[in-house]
Amino acid sequence: MKIMAVILAAGQGTRMRSELPKVLHPLAGRPMIRYAIDTAKILTGEKPVVVIGHGASAVQEVVGEEALFAVQAEQLGTAHAVQSAEALLAGKADLVLVFYADMPLLTVETMSKLVETQRKNPGPLTMLTVVLPDSHGFGRVIRNADGSVQAIVEEAQATPEQLAVKELNVGAYCFRGDWLWDALRKIQVSPKGEYYLTDSVALAVEAGRPVQAVALEDADEAIGINNRVHLAEVEAILRRRTNTRWMMAGVTFINPEQTYVEADVVLGKDTVLWPNTYVRGKTVIGESCQIGPNTVIEDSTIGSHCTIIASFLEGALVEDHVEMGPFAHLRKGAHLAQGVHMGNFGEVKSSYLGPGVKMGHFSYIGDANIGPDVNIGAGTITCNYDGVKKHKTEIGANAFIGSDTMLVAPLRIGENAKTGAGSVVTHDVPDGEVVVGVPARLLRKKKDNEGT
Ligand code: UD1
Ligand code: CA
């Protein structure tokens, strides 16, 4: 049986009070709609159809190749929205999964229960329901005396008796493809001027066909985001889910409520995350690291046994046994080899620091390639930019760069070479030589000069 999915995302989301379309608001580092798209893909093995309207071009641009799009030019209700996808789906799918883009907590497990129930249902649809003490804003699920589902009544149309019902429509459905499209055409406009998808339930029941309902076990999954209070609630729940998953996999969180790990991050076992740490984007952290407190790591790869305190890393590659911080900054293209020590107030950009390099205090290294075991004295700066172009600095193995050295690029410092404190180096330094002063000159050993 072929299943395809329709995700409704054409509504305005007025209550967000935002320039950004609701479904693009970020949640744990991903646009809200990506959760629905990922779930749909896992369940169907196909790109879902996303129904867009308000902010259509922005949504389409962010979602890109991940989905097919159907445009609902005027928002005439959820049934009308599904109809916009008819041309893309009619005759192609045995089962059509329909759900809303603003419910990112719905899990794959729950949605596959919905699909499995419909597979066995001789009737045309199965829906998700939830029992909540606060029913505000939801359609009420009305059942017959024998317990079978009779209808969904929207809040605006409900009688006081119906309003008291605590079983609610979640907003996720699985339809038979050969029934859905004709049924949608039979739905009458509501007193509010909208065509409600929820009226399909009563249509099926009136035709004598059974509607099945799957009840949610975890009521959190029913949270739909309509405003920024819901956004924060969902963010906190997603954070808890992600952190719990990593704790079960062997990662220690000193305080999970204050540790922010985005959805696509990968963490190694026995790593410890200290509070106020943000691990973002496509970051991978190895085993047995100590990360934080007060650290931000974005789109970076960190090896094992690293210690990173109060630092900011973006687009960096850090090998095993590196110590960093406090207050270190790695920018794009920084690559720290095994055993590098980088202390406070250092910045590295587009540079390789070889194994065992020590850079203890107050340095800027940009566009440089630094050999193993080099010592970079306090306050060293690669002057890599002449106001027009960036230039490269090369430092050979075991070189010793004195405190406050200015390395005016392009420049090569030889292996085992040394620079004096405060020197401004404008010319290459051969292997094993020492330069001092401003501008730096070779320091000749007295013995040689005097020929004694
Ligand atoms: C809907 C359900 C309600 C359910 C609730 C759960 C209907 C009629 N009602 O109500 O039973 O309890 O969700 O949260 O379905 N959309 C479009 N085009 C439209 C209208 C809506 O794409 O013309 C999209 C919206 O962007 C949104 C989704 O459909 O993602 C739901 O629409 P919304 O107006 O939020 O429905 P609710 O009033 O919440
Ligand atoms: Ca809603």
Side-chain angles (χ1 to χ4, degrees):
M1 270 214 226
K2 193 168 166 75
I3 316 176
M4 295 179 86
V6 182
I7 296 170
L8 303 192
Q12 189 166 9
T14 327
R15 284 169 287 170
M16 294 298 283
R17 298 187 185 279
S18 178
E19 294 293 317
L20 189 67
K22 176 167 82 174
V23 298
L24 297 186
H25 276 258
L27 272 170
R30 289 166 160 173
M32 189 188 301
I33 195 170
R34 265 209 37 208
Y35 293 87
I37 291 173
D38 286 359
T39 301
K41 276 198 170 158
I42 294 170
L43 287 163
T44 67
E46 305 258 348
K47 291 182 182 182
V49 175
V50 174
V51 179
I52 50 178
H54 276 280
S57 55
V59 176
Q60 195 164 356
E61 198 180 308
V62 170
V63 172
E65 294 294 301
E66 303 292 301
L68 306 173
F69 297 96
V71 178
Q72 184 196 21
E74 243 189 313
Q75 280 68 58
L76 299 179
T78 43
H80 180 258
V82 177
Q83 264 180 319
S84 331
E86 181 172 359
L88 288 168
L89 294 181
K92 293 190 187 142
D94 303 306
L95 293 177
V96 181
L97 204 53
V98 177
F99 59 117
Y100 306 151
D102 60 1
M103 304 182 54
L105 294 176
L106 277 178
T107 61
V108 170
E109 294 71 45
T110 296
M111 294 297 281
S112 70
K113 253 193 235 167
L114 178 67
V115 172
E116 290 316 311
T117 306
Q118 179 52 32
R119 276 188 209 280
K120 293 180 210 127
N121 182 10
L125 81 127
T126 300
M127 59 184 286
L128 279 184
T129 72
V130 64
V131 176
L132 287 179
D134 179 8
S135 48
H136 179 75
F138 284 90
R140 309 297 198 270
V141 178
I142 310 304
R143 290 188 181 258
N144 295 309
D146 65 0
S148 61
V149 176
Q150 189 197 350
I152 301 172
V153 178
E154 289 305 298
E155 198 163 68
Q157 272 80 55
T159 63
E161 198 181 42
Q162 290 169 333
L163 281 177
V165 170
K166 296 294 179 219
E167 188 181 12
L168 312 168
N169 174 33
V170 171
Y173 322 83
C174 187
F175 293 96
R176 281 181 67 129
D178 59 5
W179 181 84
L180 174 64
W181 311 107
D182 285 338
L184 292 177
R185 274 186 280 276
K186 292 183 192 145
I187 289 176
Q188 303 290 311
V189 70
S190 78
K192 278 183 96 183
E194 290 192 24
Y195 296 86
Y196 290 153
L197 182 60
T198 44
D199 285 349
S200 60
V201 171
L203 273 181
V205 171
E206 281 158 21
R209 316 278 309 273
V211 172
Q212 298 291 331
V214 173
L216 281 186
E217 279 160 27
D218 174 4
D220 280 352
E221 288 190 44
I223 300 177
I225 297 173
N226 295 319
N227 59 41
R228 300 202 198 217
V229 176
H230 302 149
L231 189 71
E233 270 170 32
V234 170
E235 176 89 32
I237 293 167
L238 283 172
R239 178 160 67 244
R240 244 168 265 147
R241 279 190 190 171
T242 303
N243 292 356
T244 302
R245 174 163 60 89
W246 286 118
M247 287 187 273
M248 296 314 283
V251 177
T252 292
F253 286 69
I254 301 296
N255 182 352
E257 289 299 311
Q258 282 184 45
T259 309
Y260 306 82
V261 177
E262 286 185 357
D264 297 328
V265 165
V266 178
L267 303 171
K269 74 170 167 22
D270 291 323
T271 280
V272 179
L273 299 181
W274 292 79
N276 202 27
T277 287
Y278 300 74
V279 192
R280 293 190 181 138
K282 302 231 172 299
T283 294
V284 177
I285 298 180
E287 297 183 359
S288 300
C289 292
Q290 297 279 333
I291 309 290
N294 303 329
T295 292
V296 179
I297 304 182
E298 254 173 44
D299 297 320
S300 297
T301 300
I302 314 294
S304 294
H305 303 279
C306 292
T307 301
I308 302 177
I309 300 174
S311 293
F312 185 36
L313 289 73
E314 34 182 347
L317 171 59
V318 173
E319 296 185 30
D320 298 345
H321 296 283
V322 167
E323 280 168 36
M324 281 181 64
F327 317 117
H329 185 188
L330 295 187
R331 290 166 55 203
K332 201 158 189 272
H335 176 178
L336 275 49
Q338 191 154 339
V340 165
H341 166 78
M342 181 172 168
N344 43 216
F345 305 106
E347 173 179 337
V348 176
K349 183 219 81 173
S350 300
S351 295
Y352 173 72
L353 273 59
V357 166
K358 290 194 167 50
M359 173 177 163
H361 340 264
F362 310 102
S363 291
Y364 170 61
I365 299 296
D367 305 301
N369 184 7
I370 301 181
D373 299 316
V374 167
N375 193 306
I376 297 171
T380 295
I381 288 176
T382 51
C383 310
N384 58 331
Y385 186 51
D386 59 13
V388 183
K389 278 179 78 177
K390 298 273 170 69
H391 300 282
K392 294 210 169 346
T393 301
E394 182 93 28
I395 304 181
N398 284 305
F400 181 96
I401 309 299
S403 295
D404 213 15
T405 295
M406 299 296 124
L407 299 164
V408 183
L411 189 68
R412 182 182 182 278
I413 308 287
E415 290 181 14
N416 300 303
K418 290 184 178 171
T419 69
S423 52
V424 175
V425 187
T426 54
H427 290 101
D428 290 356
V429 180
D431 291 352
E433 296 288 356
V434 181
V435 296
V436 297
V438 180
R441 292 195 175 81
L442 280 176
L443 181 71
R444 305 246 175 245
K445 295 169 193 140
K446 261 196 178 141
K447 263 200 276 182
D448 299 349
N449 284 348
E450 290 166 7
T452 51

